[in-house]
Amino acid sequence: MCLSLTAVAWQSEPPRHQPPAADGRFVSYRADPRRLALYWHDEHGQPLRSLGRLRGWLAGQQKTLVFATNGGMYRAGNAPVGLFIQAGKVVTPLDTAAGTGNFYLRPNGVFYLTADGRAAVCRTQDFRPSGRIRYATQSGPMLVIDGRIHPAFQPGSKNLNVRNGVGLLPDGRVLLAMSKQPVSFYEFARYFQQQGCRQALYLDGFVSRTYLPAAGWRQTDGDFGVIIGVTAAGR
């Protein structure tokens, strides 16, 4: 679980009276956390790897894939970097080490789903293991912390890339978003902040893909570790 976070000098919050504006640079999905699941292997222990393979695998179980996106960074063999919990089982442990690269740009964080249908995003140092956690994935860096943009991100940055991430909306739903074009970390974090997310986490960069046929967005390729998905009963 997450502890309360200490306020620090982050970027200022957007005015609360302004409604979220549509932004065509991003494809996004607002999910009921009770419908979300995290996938990695098939029943034979092989990584699913792509959104298209996940879709086909689920179809064999009479389930229709409604939404999917890659769910965090991975090592050789498509193994998750850092914590991965699936169906209540810790598959890979929490990574609290120092290192280089986006994953280790502190604070990094954890996105998790509980058995009672709730979602949370928190800093790695605030995460506490619990038997109530059904799914979890660790990544980094955090994009938004307590409503404020990560202080390492600056307006006008030339570090542009396709990016995907996850945030927690005020109504308890999960916001999953991917940029359709290269954007800076600041622009990406600002998007989550403007949608009302007080906590948001970066998932990955140029490798990111999203499957959302309801919005006419059907990327089915990719070569991932963890995949986040929403399904409906097959027809």
Side-chain angles (χ1 to χ4, degrees):
M1 299 293 119
C2 296
L3 301 177
S4 60
L5 306 182
T6 303
V8 290
W10 312 96
Q11 300 287 344
S12 60
E13 296 184 55
R16 293 181 181 274
H17 64 275
Q18 293 183 354
D23 194 327
R25 296 175 299 167
F26 304 96
V27 56
S28 65
Y29 183 76
R30 295 174 180 237
D32 180 339
R34 294 171 296 183
R35 298 185 61 203
L36 283 169
L38 273 59
Y39 303 92
W40 182 24
H41 284 162
D42 63 16
E43 70 274 21
H44 304 296
Q46 297 301 309
L48 290 162
R49 300 180 60 171
S50 73
L51 305 188
R53 183 152 186 254
L54 174 64
R55 182 181 63 178
W57 181 70
L58 289 168
Q61 302 174 40
Q62 289 72 55
K63 295 178 182 178
T64 299
L65 187 64
V66 173
F67 169 86
T69 192
N70 46 303
M73 300 175 193
Y74 49 95
R75 306 183 191 278
N78 303 82
V81 176
L83 179 69
F84 177 52
I85 297 175
Q86 185 175 41
K89 178 183 178 182
V90 177
V91 180
T92 55
L94 192 72
D95 186 342
T96 58
T100 59
N102 289 331
F103 181 91
Y104 294 104
L105 178 55
R106 295 183 174 178
N108 56 11
V110 177
F111 164 60
Y112 65 89
L113 302 163
T114 65
D116 60 354
R118 299 184 183 185
V121 174
C122 69
R123 302 183 304 179
T124 293
Q125 61 262 44
D126 299 314
F127 179 78
R128 298 293 180 268
S130 167
R132 295 191 292 130
I133 296 175
R134 190 174 178 213
Y135 294 103
T137 184
Q138 183 183 9
S139 192
M142 290 287 289
L143 296 169
V144 182
I145 307 168
D146 283 352
R148 296 171 172 86
I149 294 174
H150 193 299
F153 307 155
Q154 298 299 319
S157 169
K158 302 303 182 184
N159 178 13
L160 307 181
N161 219 327
V162 169
R163 307 181 190 279
N164 80 319
V166 58
L168 187 64
L169 293 161
D171 63 4
R173 287 185 298 167
V174 174
L175 175 62
L176 293 139
M178 185 189 78
S179 65
K180 299 177 182 178
Q181 61 193 54
V183 296
S184 68
F185 269 119
Y186 183 89
E187 292 172 301
F188 195 44
R190 180 68 171 160
Y191 173 75
F192 281 94
Q193 186 190 54
Q194 289 177 324
Q195 302 307 305
C197 296
R198 291 185 57 79
Q199 319 294 338
L201 177 66
Y202 177 72
L203 291 173
D204 214 336
F206 73 95
V207 301
S208 299
R209 300 290 189 272
T210 292
Y211 178 77
L212 184 55
W217 196 268
R218 294 178 174 87
Q219 293 180 316
T220 56
D221 59 334
D223 189 8
F224 309 125
V226 176
I227 301 174
I228 301 171
V230 174
T231 61
R235 295 179 178 85

